[in-house]
Amino acid sequence: MGGERLYLYDTTLRDGQQTQGVAFSTAEKLRIAQALDALGVDYIEGGWPGANPTDSAFFEEVGATRATLTAFGMTKRAGRSAENDDVLAAVLDARTPAVCLVGKTHLFQVTEALGITGEENLEAIRASVAHVVAQGREALFDAEHFFDGYAGDAGYAVACLEAALAAGARWVVLCDTNGGTMPGQIGAVVADLIARGLPGDRLGIHTHNDTEQAVAGSLAAVEAGVRQVQGTLNGLGERCGNANLTSLIPTLLLKPPFAGRFDIGVTEAALEGLTRVSRMLDEILNRVPLRQAPYVGSSAFAHKAGLHASAILKNPATYEHVDPALVGNRRVIPMSNQAGQSNLRRRLAEMGLEVPRDAPALGRILERIKAREAEGYTYDTAQASFELLAREELGCLQEFFEVERYRVTIERRRDAQGRRVTLSEAVVVVRIDGEQTLSVSESLDAAGCDQGPVNALSKALAKDLGRYQSVIDDMRLVDFKVRITQGGTEAVTRVIIDSQDGMGRRWQTVGVSANIVDASFEALLDAVRWKLIRDCGAGPAA
Amino acid sequence: MGGERLYLYDTTLRDGQQTQGVAFSTAEKLRIAQALDALGVDYIEGGWPGANPTDSAFFEEVGATRATLTAFGMTKRAGRSAENDDVLAAVLDARTPAVCLVGKTHLFQVTEALGITGEENLEAIRASVAHVVAQGREALFDAEHFFDGYAGDAGYAVACLEAALAAGARWVVLCDTNGGTMPGQIGAVVADLIARGLPGDRLGIHTHNDTEQAVAGSLAAVEAGVRQVQGTLNGLGERCGNANLTSLIPTLLLKPPFAGRFDIGVTEAALEGLTRVSRMLDEILNRVPLRQAPYVGSSAFAHKAGLHASAILKNPATYEHVDPALVGNRRVIPMSNQAGQSNLRRRLAEMGLEVPRDAPALGRILERIKAREAEGYTYDTAQASFELLAREELGCLQEFFEVERYRVTIERRRDAQGRRVTLSEAVVVVRIDGEQTLSVSESLDAAGCDQGPVNALSKALAKDLGRYQSVIDDMRLVDFKVRITQGGTEAVTRVIIDSQDGMGRRWQTVGVSANIVDASFEALLDAVRWKLIRDCGAGPAA
């Protein structure tokens, strides 16, 4: 991809780690760095060596990368030379090709927080940057609180940038540290800096999302002339997060007026891996991926409105601003009471059920979905339960077995040592080919800990399905979500279960009941039925 | 708050409901409308009457609001008059003071998707708007795909707006339907419209978040002159969501260059309720509130970086762009340091527990909260469970009774008529003043329907507490939330229970376990213990 060079600087491993609840292990940092390198960012800021043991370990272990590895630190403290500042020395000890030092540019903070004069601060910037350059490293200067500093005393704030540049900094980065500056203001300040003679190709932008405008602020700075953008994957970062590279990268590559204007080092093939990289980070963080995330969220190309969904079928550009395949994502047309017959036929076709237009079963399926949704069911994500319902109406649902009854007992008491213990036990009675089988299971895991009634039921149900047993042996329950759907006395519980099998297939089922255990059982049962249809054949075709 | 009038138009109940997985009940819609009305938005778009039964029911039941209630629909279809269009008639049947009709402005979509001429589409806009106005309603016209239409054929797109205005529309709303337009482009197009003579005080903006810039796009339009902003609470909406009013409202009120410039109908007192409104919506949706959400997220004012946290203690403005109290949120500083203890003392004092500065119990309480939160507990809302934990460490927790054991049985079988029935039964064994009591309860409601194991346990626990029985007789369980969370490496269930008593007191308790029934029991037990402390005295004071 041609055009003017625009550099991406990733700080997921440093500023991203300031996210509340996030603490990467060294191994996790290495895995993220590898993904960033494959994505094609220009700089990977790995942490603050000396301030954090995992950061030091990361730099020791990371090895060679295509991207420029960067250590973060701060300008030398007053009252000592750069050479004798132990904090700075620890940063340089990481031996990274680039070093980024944060320093103050807001005169108020210099005199009040640091208690030094403006000139002393300028000298600290000069000496620190010069020291990094003298060590043969690329130096970057993060101008903390730059936009507040500029608003307070533009002359001084600009002098700080000039001091860093004169001392040899490859980049000075304009940081909106508190995240409160509007994109329009950012653009105007950058334009003023360039008018004052500062070189745009040595200016960077670092924004935070405190007004939900970190991406817009970064793009405003790029439009005004900066040529480095700092951000994080999935917008991780302190408070509301940093500028989200996962949104910025596709926008810079795909959207006018940016598309085609810049070379940002991310190839088309790497862009197709973006959704995967975003999900990998969530997996490392053990977070549920944000469905609404731009470009990479599972809902980012989900078309729920009936009018939209039918137009999309004719021409995707009617309701999609970019092709989801370009970022490795995919289109979703969910079922809902607003969806029409055309969505339904398409959904069924995706499941291998070709149904003629105007087949009477289509209307019946929509009616049943509507009625079930009024009871608290949802089929947006529970595709497997939806398929079972549709197959039933289409007359192509084979029932492999019947559950005659089940019973679950949950007990809490004190054991012989006086400790509180809980135990769940489930009995499931099933009829297969006219034969009745009774199965019983406890809920204890390998360590002897109670995993609860749903676990016990799941094990009992999957324990003996006769000739079908081998088909379900590789199934396991991987996620379980519970929601109370109505308030007051009409409260019902909706359970959604994710199952997975040895082939890596993953499917979702739903159950609804006032009784949470019964709702769970219904979803479990659907999961088993769906698996049997997939692997034992579905009976007559539609 | 003075300044030029800027109107807020909320579409949480209509476009917000297009969020994948979201389907409000009528009762939920009524509750959200009430919150929006108290917040001070100008328009509440309640849904599309006729297209969706809950939307029609909502308009029937909503009653009087300060905000202008608005029904949504579309311009009449070709080949029939506005008077004879049954879809439009259903919208007008909701008898709302305002009606918003969406129509096409992109000539390509008019000819290709609708298959009619540009002039026929203009006539549909004119006739539909005129019909709404003739019924004595305020008319709004949502110009679908306006920015794409403007890029394709600006003259035609503008002619559509002019047709709606000429026919009497109070507002024409510029919709970036696919969410792909950059804020800079939006601002430039609005400036051009105003230069062409369109009145800014009759123009609205409706953006989507597909490039993470819906808020920035809305603000760019306001800067360029539009005077109505459409959005949703928490940025709900199709695909990546709509412009987030929860971010836009505080930015318009608090942030330069907007602060003080506009009267947006939201008072300072209402703004202080913003965090509460945002959390209420998540609670209705049973979503985990987004911690990083601007202004209202629990991390929005959390200062994790050591340097930041110590500076914040000297002067909050060093790392906060606004005061969290203005939006009803609060600052979070890691519990480990001095600030954590002073927050804790304040929280205890609010419960009537005055604890001296530097009491050793404070450190122990913080340690236990940290350990419990790592197990999956949360004390943000479960104040009653928090109080019990603190009382225990402070040595002022009286235990009135002890649960020796319980057992719950859940059974599903077929009754004599072959119908599937479920039944839950709970036995609870309690020791009070050295005496053992056994209580048993079933889970059937007055109609004979199974209400599940938690209901049975709750009834058995509250059945016989000896001399304390009269104190808990007026307690009832009013809400019950379940979430699967992560405690250590294993998935655990967190249950939060809301209880209420005859005096109207409402309190929340929490329980965590791999066993969902046991987690529920723990929360039920805490609820009873808290009630007894309140009404029977708490033992020795701290």
Side-chain angles (χ1 to χ4, degrees):
Chain A
M1 300 184 185
E4 197 179 343
R5 193 73 175 84
L6 178 68
Y7 293 81
L8 297 179
Y9 184 106
D10 180 276
T11 181
T12 305
L13 302 178
R14 202 272 306 171
D15 225 2
Q17 184 158 241
Q18 302 298 348
T19 313
Q20 215 187 351
V22 169
F24 296 122
S25 67
T26 303
E28 288 167 342
K29 285 194 147 192
L30 292 169
R31 202 172 148 208
I32 294 166
Q34 201 172 31
L36 287 167
D37 208 34
L39 183 58
V41 303
D42 296 290
Y43 293 85
I44 298 174
E45 190 176 76
W48 187 334
N52 193 342
T54 57
D55 290 0
S56 304
F58 166 77
F59 286 112
E60 272 167 37
E61 295 177 32
V62 62
T65 54
R66 195 203 45 74
T68 304
L69 277 175
T70 309
F72 180 85
M74 66 177 177
T75 53
K76 78 174 188 71
R77 285 158 296 170
R80 70 193 74 185
S81 69
E83 290 73 13
N84 289 323
D85 188 296
D86 55 335
V87 175
L88 187 50
V91 174
L92 287 163
D93 277 352
R95 306 192 178 282
T96 51
V99 172
C100 182
L101 299 181
V102 66
K104 297 214 182 291
T105 58
H106 190 180
L107 190 54
F108 169 80
Q109 296 232 0
V110 169
T111 55
E112 295 299 308
L114 293 185
I116 60 175
T117 67
E119 181 46 46
E120 285 172 316
N121 181 57
L122 285 171
E123 179 49 30
I125 296 171
R126 266 185 224 113
S128 305
V129 169
H131 181 58
V132 169
V133 173
Q135 304 279 314
R137 317 292 181 84
E138 177 176 336
L140 297 93
F141 175 65
D142 260 10
E144 196 192 30
H145 290 122
F146 178 75
F147 294 94
D148 302 318
Y150 179 93
D153 184 338
Y156 184 76
V158 173
C160 292
L161 304 184
E162 289 170 338
L165 288 170
R170 165 69 184 86
W171 294 101
V172 293
V173 182
L174 315 174
C175 300
D176 186 33
T177 308
N178 294 7
T181 310
M182 297 293 119
Q185 294 174 293
I186 290 175
V189 171
V190 171
D192 177 60
L193 294 179
I194 287 174
R196 287 171 186 247
L198 276 81
D201 60 4
R202 292 175 70 188
L203 295 179
I205 184 74
H206 174 115
T207 59
H208 281 268
N209 209 32
D210 296 76
T211 70
E212 210 177 319
Q213 295 183 94
V215 164
S218 301
L219 292 174
V222 169
E223 283 207 86
V226 312
R227 289 297 173 260
Q228 186 198 104
V229 178
Q230 297 199 342
T232 60
L233 290 177
N234 293 359
L236 287 189
E238 185 144 67
R239 304 188 312 275
C240 306
N242 288 58
N244 187 355
L245 287 181
T246 318
S247 295
L248 277 165
I249 290 171
T251 296
L252 287 166
L253 287 175
L254 302 176
K255 302 295 304 178
F258 302 104
R261 241 178 92 191
F262 297 108
D263 168 14
I264 65 163
V266 176
T267 63
E268 281 179 28
L271 185 63
E272 286 172 16
L274 190 69
T275 299
R276 200 178 39 75
V277 170
S278 168
R279 304 275 168 90
M280 182 206 77
L281 181 63
D282 284 329
E283 186 205 302
I284 288 175
L285 295 169
N286 197 22
R287 288 186 171 192
V288 181
L290 191 66
R291 287 166 77 163
Q292 291 201 305
Y295 297 103
V296 298
S298 64
S299 292
F301 300 93
H303 304 281
K304 186 171 162 188
L307 285 179
H308 293 202
S310 52
I312 276 279
L313 294 179
K314 290 182 197 151
N315 177 0
T318 49
Y319 289 96
E320 277 173 5
H321 73 120
V322 297
D323 177 354
L326 297 175
V327 293
N329 205 344
R330 61 193 189 95
R331 183 173 305 137
V332 177
I333 299 191
M335 282 310 308
S336 81
N337 54 4
Q338 300 178 21
Q341 291 210 356
S342 57
N343 298 340
L344 177 60
R345 285 183 62 238
R346 187 189 151 105
R347 271 290 275 289
L348 294 171
E350 285 170 5
M351 298 168 176
L353 297 167
E354 295 291 347
V355 183
R357 191 185 296 275
D358 300 325
L362 293 173
R364 291 199 307 270
I365 294 171
L366 286 175
E367 279 308 306
R368 269 195 69 190
I369 288 170
K370 216 164 162 172
R372 300 274 267 180
E373 287 189 338
E375 288 170 37
Y377 288 82
T378 177
Y379 295 98
D380 273 3
T381 55
Q383 302 250 9
S385 290
F386 163 72
E387 181 179 336
L388 295 171
L389 182 155
R391 282 183 176 277
E392 195 179 337
E393 290 300 337
L394 292 166
C396 59
L397 176 68
Q398 187 183 345
E399 292 293 2
F400 299 86
F401 63 94
E402 193 197 353
V403 174
E404 296 203 328
R405 60 182 176 86
Y406 71 76
R407 188 182 72 239
V408 191
T409 308
I410 301 132
E411 220 172 338
R412 184 166 107 177
R413 52 183 173 76
R414 292 193 183 276
D415 68 8
Q417 283 76 43
R419 290 173 305 209
R420 274 191 198 137
V421 290
T422 59
L423 178 69
S424 309
E425 184 193 89
V427 172
V428 176
V429 181
V430 168
R431 182 171 289 274
I432 307 173
D433 304 329
E435 295 284 318
Q436 202 186 51
T437 57
L438 271 81
S439 302
V440 61
S441 282
E442 277 186 346
S443 61
L444 301 184
D445 64 9
C449 295
D450 176 34
Q451 297 300 302
V454 178
N455 177 283
L457 262 176
S458 161
K459 287 196 288 189
L461 178 63
K463 201 167 181 177
D464 186 6
L465 284 183
R467 61 190 173 101
Y468 304 118
Q469 188 57 33
S470 61
V471 176
I472 63 159
D473 270 344
D474 67 338
M475 261 184 78
R476 62 194 185 91
L477 192 158
V478 288
D479 200 6
F480 177 78
K481 295 188 205 77
V482 180
R483 168 168 187 197
I484 308 301
T485 62
Q486 296 277 328
T489 52
E490 301 158 9
V492 296
T493 307
R494 175 201 301 156
V495 171
I496 292 184
I497 279 178
D498 282 39
S499 303
Q500 199 170 305
D501 68 11
M503 290 171 60
R505 280 190 300 214
R506 191 167 171 148
W507 64 101
Q508 283 194 315
T509 50
V510 59
V512 170
S513 167
N515 182 323
I516 191 167
V517 172
D518 198 50
S520 306
F521 186 77
E522 184 184 5
L524 285 171
L525 198 56
D526 269 11
V528 170
R529 292 165 72 210
W530 187 89
K531 167 78 170 157
L532 290 175
I533 284 175
R534 272 289 166 285
D535 290 352
C536 303
Chain B
M1 301 188 184
E4 197 179 343
R5 193 74 173 84
L6 178 67
Y7 293 80
L8 296 179
Y9 183 105
D10 181 275
T11 180
T12 305
L13 301 178
R14 203 268 309 169
D15 226 1
Q17 183 157 242
Q18 301 297 350
T19 313
Q20 211 188 353
V22 168
F24 297 122
S25 68
T26 304
E28 288 167 343
K29 285 195 147 193
L30 292 168
R31 205 172 145 207
I32 294 165
Q34 201 173 29
L36 287 167
D37 208 32
L39 183 59
V41 303
D42 297 290
Y43 292 85
I44 298 174
E45 189 175 78
W48 187 332
N52 193 341
T54 58
D55 290 359
S56 304
F58 166 78
F59 286 114
E60 271 168 38
E61 295 178 32
V62 61
T65 54
R66 195 204 45 73
T68 304
L69 277 175
T70 309
F72 179 85
M74 66 178 179
T75 52
K76 76 173 186 73
R77 286 161 294 172
R80 71 193 76 184
S81 69
E83 290 73 11
N84 289 326
D85 187 297
D86 54 335
V87 175
L88 186 50
V91 174
L92 287 162
D93 277 351
R95 305 192 179 283
T96 51
V99 171
C100 182
L101 299 181
V102 64
K104 296 214 182 292
T105 60
H106 191 178
L107 190 53
F108 168 80
Q109 295 231 0
V110 170
T111 54
E112 294 300 306
L114 294 186
I116 60 173
T117 68
E119 181 45 47
E120 284 171 318
N121 181 56
L122 285 171
E123 179 50 29
I125 296 172
R126 267 186 224 113
S128 304
V129 169
H131 180 59
V132 169
V133 173
Q135 306 278 315
R137 317 293 181 84
E138 177 177 334
L140 296 94
F141 175 65
D142 261 8
E144 195 193 32
H145 289 122
F146 177 75
F147 294 94
D148 302 317
Y150 179 94
D153 184 339
Y156 183 76
V158 173
C160 292
L161 304 184
E162 288 170 339
L165 289 170
R170 166 66 185 89
W171 294 102
V172 293
V173 182
L174 315 174
C175 299
D176 185 33
T177 307
N178 295 5
T181 310
M182 298 293 117
Q185 295 174 292
I186 290 175
V189 171
V190 171
D192 176 62
L193 295 179
I194 288 175
R196 287 171 187 246
L198 277 80
D201 61 3
R202 292 174 71 188
L203 295 179
I205 183 73
H206 175 114
T207 59
H208 282 267
N209 209 31
D210 296 75
T211 70
E212 208 178 322
Q213 295 184 95
V215 164
S218 301
L219 293 173
V222 169
E223 283 206 88
V226 312
R227 290 298 174 258
Q228 184 197 105
V229 177
Q230 296 200 343
T232 60
L233 290 177
N234 294 357
L236 286 189
E238 183 142 68
R239 303 188 311 273
C240 306
N242 288 58
N244 187 354
L245 287 180
T246 318
S247 295
L248 277 165
I249 290 171
T251 295
L252 287 166
L253 287 175
L254 303 175
K255 302 296 303 180
F258 303 103
R261 240 177 94 190
F262 297 107
D263 168 12
I264 66 163
V266 176
T267 64
E268 282 179 26
L271 185 63
E272 286 172 16
L274 190 68
T275 298
R276 200 177 39 71
V277 170
S278 168
R279 303 277 169 90
M280 181 206 80
L281 181 62
D282 284 328
E283 190 201 300
I284 287 175
L285 295 170
N286 194 26
R287 285 188 173 193
V288 182
L290 192 63
R291 289 166 78 164
Q292 293 203 303
Y295 297 103
V296 299
S298 64
S299 293
F301 300 93
H303 304 280
K304 186 175 163 190
L307 286 178
H308 294 201
S310 55
I312 276 279
L313 293 178
K314 292 183 196 150
N315 178 0
T318 49
Y319 290 96
E320 276 175 4
H321 73 120
V322 299
D323 177 354
L326 297 174
V327 292
N329 204 345
R330 62 197 184 95
R331 182 173 305 135
V332 176
I333 290 179
M335 291 250 231
S336 47
N337 63 32
Q338 206 66 38
Q341 290 214 356
S342 58
N343 289 345
L344 175 60
R345 285 182 63 237
R346 202 187 51 217
R347 213 158 146 193
L348 294 171
E350 287 167 6
M351 297 168 175
L353 297 166
E354 294 291 345
V355 183
R357 189 186 299 275
D358 300 326
L362 292 175
R364 291 199 307 271
I365 294 171
L366 287 176
E367 279 307 305
R368 270 193 67 189
I369 287 173
K370 209 167 160 176
R372 301 272 267 181
E373 288 189 337
E375 288 171 37
Y377 288 82
T378 177
Y379 294 98
D380 276 358
T381 54
Q383 300 260 2
S385 290
F386 166 73
E387 182 179 335
L388 295 171
L389 182 156
R391 283 184 176 276
E392 194 178 339
E393 290 299 337
L394 293 166
C396 60
L397 177 68
Q398 189 184 343
E399 292 293 3
F400 300 87
F401 64 94
E402 194 197 350
V403 175
E404 298 200 328
R405 61 183 176 85
Y406 71 75
R407 189 185 69 239
V408 192
T409 308
I410 303 132
E411 222 172 337
R412 185 167 104 179
R413 52 185 173 74
R414 294 193 183 275
D415 68 7
Q417 283 75 44
R419 289 173 305 208
R420 277 194 196 135
V421 290
T422 61
L423 178 68
S424 308
E425 183 194 87
V427 173
V428 176
V429 181
V430 167
R431 182 171 290 274
I432 307 173
D433 304 329
E435 296 282 322
Q436 201 187 55
T437 56
L438 272 80
S439 301
V440 59
S441 281
E442 277 185 346
S443 61
L444 301 183
D445 65 9
C449 294
D450 175 34
Q451 297 299 302
V454 178
N455 177 283
L457 263 176
S458 164
K459 286 197 286 188
L461 178 63
K463 201 166 183 177
D464 185 5
L465 283 183
R467 62 190 172 99
Y468 304 118
Q469 188 58 35
S470 63
V471 176
I472 63 159
D473 269 345
D474 66 339
M475 261 184 77
R476 60 193 185 92
L477 192 159
V478 288
D479 202 5
F480 175 77
K481 293 187 206 78
V482 180
R483 189 156 291 153
I484 306 304
T485 164
Q486 204 72 21
T489 54
E490 295 293 326
V492 297
T493 307
R494 176 201 298 153
V495 170
I496 293 185
I497 279 178
D498 281 39
S499 303
Q500 197 168 309
D501 68 10
M503 291 170 60
R505 279 193 302 218
R506 189 168 171 150
W507 64 102
Q508 281 194 316
T509 50
V510 61
V512 169
S513 168
N515 183 323
I516 192 167
V517 173
D518 198 49
S520 306
F521 187 77
E522 185 184 5
L524 285 170
L525 197 56
D526 268 12
V528 170
R529 293 165 71 209
W530 187 90
K531 168 79 168 158
L532 290 175
I533 285 175
R534 273 288 168 286
D535 291 353
C536 304

